[in-house]
């Protein structure tokens, strides 16, 4: 497959279908309210930081997307609130008129029927290249390990640093990042927070949410906390901070 990878600024025609691409994200993952500080503005404020890919054999049909956000770090340690944190810091920098001094990956999404063909690593390489073109010396990424959901009760602090016999990360997606030149820095223990009522969560996943306690939800990296007495369900997702030096 010969991919053509450009920015959304260069291919604005992809804007209308950008979020309609067939994907495998669990529904509850789309309910983080902090996402509203980036995604509705991707084509107007951040098009230079959104990569889109189509196939030369089927031009005009979206194959994959990759999103980044510039933000203001001021030399601080990578935030414990990971994904939520960089989106919020990026939005605040823009509102305050301060110049971003860092850039973070947000996601790479490959069309469902093309997953497993190595396209994520191609998009990661393109993301690294684009961040370097923007003048950044480092791309950071709050990585969502793609096999952690099989072990929701394993602490991320243990899972993130598990390795194979060859020394590479046990998790396949972390392995892609490390092979690309990334380094695992730390765990972001509250990278995303999704809260709702039991009724709302029942519409987001096929789980009854009819008792108080921790609940295993398909696709979730940690158990989800349900309180029937207080009519709320809260999911706190940990991610893994990876640093990609550029240049």
């Amino acid at each position: 497959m010969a991919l053509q990878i450009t920015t959304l600024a260069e291919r604005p025609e992809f804007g209308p279908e950008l979020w309609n691409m067939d994907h495998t994200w669990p529904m509850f993952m789309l309910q983080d309210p902090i996402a509203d500080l980036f995604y509705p503005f991707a084509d107007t404020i951040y098009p230079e930081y959104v990569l889109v890919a189509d196939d030369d054999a089927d031009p005009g049909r979206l194959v994959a997307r990759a999103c980044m956000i510039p933000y203001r770090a001021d030399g601080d340690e990578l935030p414990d609130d990971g994904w939520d944190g960089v989106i919020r810091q990026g939005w605040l920098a823009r509102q305050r008129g301060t110049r971003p001094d860092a850039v973070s990956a947000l996601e790479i999404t490959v069309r469902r029927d093309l997953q497993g063909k190595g396209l994520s690593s191609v998009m990661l390489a393109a993301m690294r290249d684009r961040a370097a073109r923007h003048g950044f010396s480092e791309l950071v990424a709050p990585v969502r390990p793609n096999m952690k959901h099989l072990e929701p009760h394993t602490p991320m602090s243990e899972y993130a640093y598990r390795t194979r016999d060859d020394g590479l990360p046990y998790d396949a997606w972390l392995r892609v990042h490390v092979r690309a030149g990334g380094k695992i820095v730390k765990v972001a223990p509250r990278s995303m927070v999704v809260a709702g009522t039991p009724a709302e969560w029942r519409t987001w996943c096929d789980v009854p949410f009819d008792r108080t306690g921790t609940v295993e939800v398909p696709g979730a990296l940690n158990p989800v906390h349900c309180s029937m007495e207080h009519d709320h369900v809260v999911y706190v997702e940990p991610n893994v901070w990876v640093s990609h030096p550029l240049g």
Side-chain angles (χ1 to χ4, degrees):
M1 177 178 292
L3 292 185
Q4 179 181 357
I5 303 175
T6 59
T7 65
L8 186 58
E10 295 168 297
R11 303 285 299 281
E13 66 270 21
F14 278 124
E17 67 168 301
L18 196 62
W19 317 120
N20 295 325
M21 182 175 64
D22 191 20
H23 61 81
T24 56
W25 292 109
M27 179 65 71
F28 68 85
M29 287 289 296
L30 309 180
Q31 312 305 320
D32 184 343
I34 295 296
D36 290 340
L37 300 181
F38 176 82
Y39 288 93
F41 308 100
D43 59 344
T44 55
I45 295 177
Y46 300 112
E48 291 284 353
Y49 291 90
V50 177
L51 301 181
V52 291
D54 61 346
D55 180 8
D56 286 349
D58 189 11
R61 185 183 182 197
L62 197 62
V63 166
R65 68 173 185 252
C67 301
M68 299 178 284
I69 188 167
Y71 71 100
R72 187 77 187 179
D74 285 324
D76 292 341
E77 182 181 350
L78 289 168
D80 287 342
D81 55 353
W83 195 86
D84 282 355
V86 292
I87 291 180
R88 182 169 52 248
Q89 289 176 37
W91 177 260
L92 288 173
R94 186 167 185 85
Q95 292 297 102
R96 294 166 177 166
T98 55
R99 184 180 179 86
D101 60 2
V103 64
S104 176
L106 294 179
E107 65 153 280
I108 292 176
T109 300
V110 175
R111 204 173 69 209
R112 185 190 299 264
D113 62 314
L114 296 174
Q115 292 184 355
K117 299 183 181 295
L119 298 182
S120 292
S121 61
V122 175
M123 296 301 291
L124 176 58
M127 186 182 286
R128 286 169 51 105
D129 179 69
R130 182 60 57 172
R133 290 191 193 186
H134 280 298
F136 295 101
S137 61
E138 177 190 39
L139 171 68
V140 297
V143 177
R144 186 177 202 265
N146 65 356
M147 296 165 62
K148 175 64 171 70
H149 69 99
L150 302 175
E151 302 182 36
H153 293 280
T154 301
M156 184 65 90
S157 57
E158 173 188 330
Y159 182 90
Y161 294 96
R162 187 187 302 168
T163 59
R164 307 187 308 181
D165 290 342
D166 60 4
L168 289 171
Y170 166 81
D171 185 83
W173 187 218
L174 285 174
R175 205 157 54 239
V176 168
H177 278 267
V178 170
R179 281 175 169 157
K183 178 183 178 182
I184 295 175
V185 177
K186 59 178 281 189
V187 170
R190 51 184 178 88
S191 195
M192 297 183 72
V193 178
V194 178
T197 64
E200 288 175 320
W201 271 86
R202 291 183 199 114
T203 69
W204 300 340
C205 58
D206 189 21
V207 177
F209 288 105
D210 56 2
R211 61 176 179 82
T212 291
T214 57
V215 182
E216 289 189 23
V217 173
L221 307 192
N222 276 350
V224 176
H225 299 271
C226 176
S227 174
M228 298 303 294
E229 295 83 358
H230 298 287
D231 197 35
H232 70 238
V233 177
V234 180
Y235 172 58
V236 181
E237 173 164 303
N239 286 164
V240 181
W241 274 117
V242 176
S243 167
H244 288 267
L246 306 173

